Amino acid sequence: MIRTIRVLSVLLVLLLGGLWALAWFGRATGESVADAFLRRIASLTGTEMPAPSAGGIQLAQGVALGGPFTLVDQTGRTVTERDFAGRPMLVYFGFTYCPDVCPTELGTIAAALDAMGPAGERVTPVFITIDPERDTPAAMADYVSRFHPRMVGLTGSAEQVAQAARAYRVYYAKVRPRDSSDYLMDHSSFIYFVGPDGRVRSLFRPETTPEAIAAAITSQLRAL
């Protein structure tokens, strides 16, 4: 029995070593060896591999982000998640009065799409406000035009924005700086890569480079 276990253990190590070697030499551009290894395992077992993590945060199995929403785009047209069906998206939640973080991250999205070349045209950049009180469709139209010609700006009622934020588990809250008559919005700051099925595939932390995002998305687009 012990001899059989030892033989099986050796065979298992050899199998995993072979899969790791295949992952090392056969990984896609921008794909980590770990993600390529998981892809090999998934192909053998017939299961779905976890969301790729190259340049981003890998979502735990069973964690779902994204979902139904009803908002208003920068032209004043009511849109839902169905209007984006079949189109991968890069989504960011913020507000037009944001002094630094939002412009930086939207600029990163634009630079990542440009770095992808023709493949970037498959991805729709989307900016969703968490400050609908001030971010009217007209304000959104002016704002998103500064970053990318294809960027979609979405706003809506406070309830509509809250629904979208809940679907993506976005934190936001109104804050008023001391000695100021105006307010700012405190909010989480992730870039979401959403697949054509409306499911979030990857999260990118603040200050992730455009090159890392471009590499990660390019790798994932090959599998779509």
Side-chain angles (χ1 to χ4, degrees):
M1 175 62 74
I2 295 178
R3 181 182 179 86
T4 300
I5 294 175
R6 287 176 177 174
V7 171
L8 292 175
S9 298
V10 170
L11 291 176
L12 179 60
V13 169
L14 291 175
L15 174 61
L16 294 177
L19 289 174
W20 188 267
L22 289 173
W24 177 272
F25 292 106
R27 68 188 190 278
T29 302
E31 184 179 31
S32 69
V33 179
D35 285 331
F37 179 73
L38 289 174
R39 178 161 52 81
R40 296 285 179 177
I41 294 293
S43 67
L44 290 178
T45 61
T47 59
E48 183 180 357
M49 65 174 291
S53 61
I57 301 172
Q58 180 171 301
L59 299 179
Q61 292 297 304
V63 174
L65 296 179
F69 61 80
T70 300
L71 294 166
V72 179
D73 70 13
Q74 71 266 37
T75 70
R77 183 174 67 97
T78 298
V79 298
T80 72
E81 77 286 349
R82 293 186 295 275
D83 290 281
F84 300 92
R87 296 154 56 188
M89 298 184 291
L90 271 178
V91 178
Y92 184 77
F93 287 78
F95 64 114
T96 65
Y97 283 75
C98 184
D100 44 29
V101 176
C102 299
T104 298
E105 297 305 310
L106 292 178
T108 295
I109 289 175
L113 294 179
D114 290 343
M116 292 172 62
E121 297 178 4
R122 296 176 55 188
V123 182
T124 301
V126 178
F127 175 56
I128 303 177
T129 184
I130 41 85
D131 184 19
E133 182 178 334
R134 294 180 295 191
D135 288 343
T136 63
M140 295 293 281
D142 175 68
Y143 193 72
V144 297
S145 67
R146 306 177 192 180
F147 297 97
H148 196 279
R150 292 191 296 105
M151 185 170 289
V152 177
L154 298 180
T155 184
S157 68
E159 293 76 15
Q160 289 172 331
V161 168
Q163 178 190 1
R166 282 194 298 270
Y168 286 82
R169 302 189 187 182
V170 173
Y171 159 78
Y172 66 98
K174 184 183 294 187
V175 295
R176 194 176 300 276
R178 183 178 299 178
D179 301 326
S180 175
S181 60
D182 211 345
Y183 66 88
L184 294 174
M185 299 296 294
D186 187 22
H187 63 96
S188 53
S189 183
F190 290 100
I191 295 173
Y192 301 81
F193 176 61
V194 182
D197 58 354
R199 180 172 65 89
V200 173
R201 303 299 182 91
S202 292
L203 299 177
F204 298 97
R205 297 180 178 91
E207 300 183 0
T208 302
T209 66
E211 294 75 18
I213 294 175
I217 294 175
T218 298
S219 175
Q220 296 187 55
L221 286 177
R222 294 193 183 101
L224 296 179

